[in-house]
Amino acid sequence: MIAHGSAAAAWKAELLVMSGAMVEVHATDDLCEEMIGLLAAHGPGKIFHRNSSWQSADWPAFAIAIADAASDDEAAAFASAARTAGVPFNVIDRPAYCQFQFGSIVNRSPAVISISTDGAAPILAQAIRRRIEAVLPQSLSAWTDLAQSLRMAVVERLAPGEGRRQFWERFVDRAFTAEEAPSRRDEQLFLEELSSGAGRTEPTHTTIIEVKSHDAELLPLKAVRALQAAEIILFDEGISTDILQLARREAKRVAATGSSKPPQHLMAMVREGGQRVVWLKSDEFGSAHETAAQLQRTGIAVNIIPGIAAIPADDQRIVANSRF
């Protein structure tokens, strides 16, 4: 049950509907635009409005109860009614009248991430959510659906152990590096691999990331995602620790020399089949395009993610003093 038709109540109602709950809104006051839109979008199958107060509700019918109370007195009365009925309750923005807290969520349904500060700092939880939202591709939802549809075929055709683990690692790498949702062709390739009963060796691919600032927050999101999917990280001298920490912990980190020409042992490493390689390239040791050309001449596929340079201090002062 949701008590009242405010914007805050509508936000909680939307979360519940997205989680699969059936929501009953009890409100005698005017419904806000957000709540009206929610009712229109999802219909009576998932959410419906009763023009009656929460006091007259059928309390035993509810799994949980949420209210946007206008005062502490109303909050106390709502909490008392819910407690008497044995229904867990939450009064929005009034922690003293809550038996449970809502966390912020990152929704890539069926993959859902919840962030909670136990009610201590909701704004901090929202900031954490925004950071995670920025890193996870929107297409992750569709890739999760595909994983679910492939699950039975994987169980039937690959024995538990290394082969099954490697299949799912290739799947995850593809999901996090793809810029779009999976196509029918992607699904067909995975099914063909499973039908063969043997793992396939993917062509070597190298991503060169231009690093033009020591500030890790200036890395493009595409670069961060590439780092988190890489198995091998090559980095030029002077690349900051903060940037290297953005890579996944399991990745092998190898310091490159100060020459723009890759040494032979690095070239051999890059050529290994199935390895996803990222090179963090500083302009001080040759341009990314020069290095890419050298790798391409040896038959290695390369793409470049352009870097973002920090604004010089003098320009920062100009921007800070400007009026738009």
Side-chain angles (χ1 to χ4, degrees):
M1 178 179 65
I2 300 286
H4 295 298
S6 65
W11 184 72
K12 291 293 192 293
E14 183 177 20
L15 287 177
L16 292 167
V17 169
M18 288 166 57
S19 300
M22 183 177 291
V23 179
E24 188 171 303
V25 180
H26 280 258
T28 56
D29 52 347
D30 291 336
L31 300 180
C32 70
E33 291 184 6
E34 292 86 350
M35 187 69 82
I36 293 171
L38 192 63
L39 288 162
H42 295 283
K46 295 184 177 180
I47 180 171
F48 56 96
H49 172 225
R50 292 197 184 280
N51 188 22
S52 62
S53 68
W54 56 263
Q55 288 96 333
S56 60
D58 180 16
W59 283 89
F62 303 119
I64 60 173
I66 298 118
D68 186 14
S71 65
D72 279 347
D73 288 342
E74 184 186 359
F78 183 87
S80 176
R83 188 180 287 109
T84 300
V87 179
F89 57 89
N90 174 288
V91 181
I92 299 170
D93 290 338
R94 297 180 190 271
Y97 302 102
C98 295
Q99 285 187 327
F100 64 91
Q101 301 291 340
F102 280 89
S104 292
I105 67 166
V106 177
N107 185 26
R108 299 291 188 273
S109 184
V112 180
I113 301 168
S114 177
I115 305 106
S116 174
T117 59
D118 200 22
I123 297 300
L124 177 60
Q126 291 171 21
I128 295 170
R129 175 183 60 80
R130 288 194 296 270
R131 291 293 184 97
I132 298 174
E133 286 274 13
V135 173
L136 295 182
Q138 291 293 330
S139 62
L140 191 60
S141 177
W143 284 98
T144 308
D145 286 335
L146 177 57
Q148 192 172 36
S149 69
L150 292 172
R151 183 178 179 85
M152 188 56 66
V154 173
V155 171
E156 291 175 350
R157 300 173 190 178
L158 293 179
E162 187 66 16
R164 188 182 293 182
R165 184 185 65 82
Q166 288 181 357
F167 172 85
W168 284 121
E169 283 186 351
R170 286 191 293 274
F171 181 94
V172 170
D173 284 346
R174 175 75 179 120
F176 276 91
T177 55
E179 296 184 4
E180 299 178 349
S183 64
R184 291 290 300 173
R185 177 59 177 161
D186 289 310
E187 182 178 7
Q188 189 61 36
L189 287 173
F190 284 121
L191 288 172
E192 288 174 2
E193 178 181 347
L194 290 170
S195 297
S196 71
R200 60 185 171 86
T201 300
E202 295 182 351
T204 300
H205 190 277
T206 300
T207 298
I208 297 178
I209 299 173
E210 290 184 318
V211 180
K212 296 187 175 182
S213 169
H214 296 298
D215 187 348
E217 293 192 354
L218 287 180
L219 275 185
L221 287 177
K222 192 171 184 179
V224 175
R225 289 172 182 159
L227 277 172
Q228 293 176 346
E231 295 163 292
I232 299 175
I233 309 292
L234 307 179
F235 60 95
D236 285 346
E237 184 180 344
I239 301 297
S240 72
T241 302
D242 288 344
I243 291 176
L244 290 172
Q245 286 179 344
L246 292 174
R248 66 180 181 181
R249 293 184 180 182
E250 299 85 356
K252 183 176 182 179
R253 292 161 172 78
V254 180
T257 64
S259 169
S260 63
K261 182 177 181 180
Q264 291 304 313
H265 73 282
L266 293 182
M267 292 292 289
M269 182 181 297
V270 171
R271 285 196 195 96
E272 288 185 37
Q275 297 290 340
R276 202 175 291 277
V277 181
V278 163
W279 192 320
L280 292 165
K281 198 81 190 73
S282 170
D283 286 341
E284 297 176 21
F285 303 106
S287 75
H289 292 277
E290 291 172 353
T291 303
Q294 293 171 20
L295 291 173
Q296 287 168 339
R297 282 195 290 271
T298 67
I300 296 172
V302 183
N303 73 299
I304 298 174
I305 299 177
I308 300 173
I311 300 175
D314 290 343
D315 291 344
Q316 288 182 19
R317 284 194 293 270
I318 293 172
V319 171
N321 294 326
S322 297
R323 293 184 178 180
F324 297 95

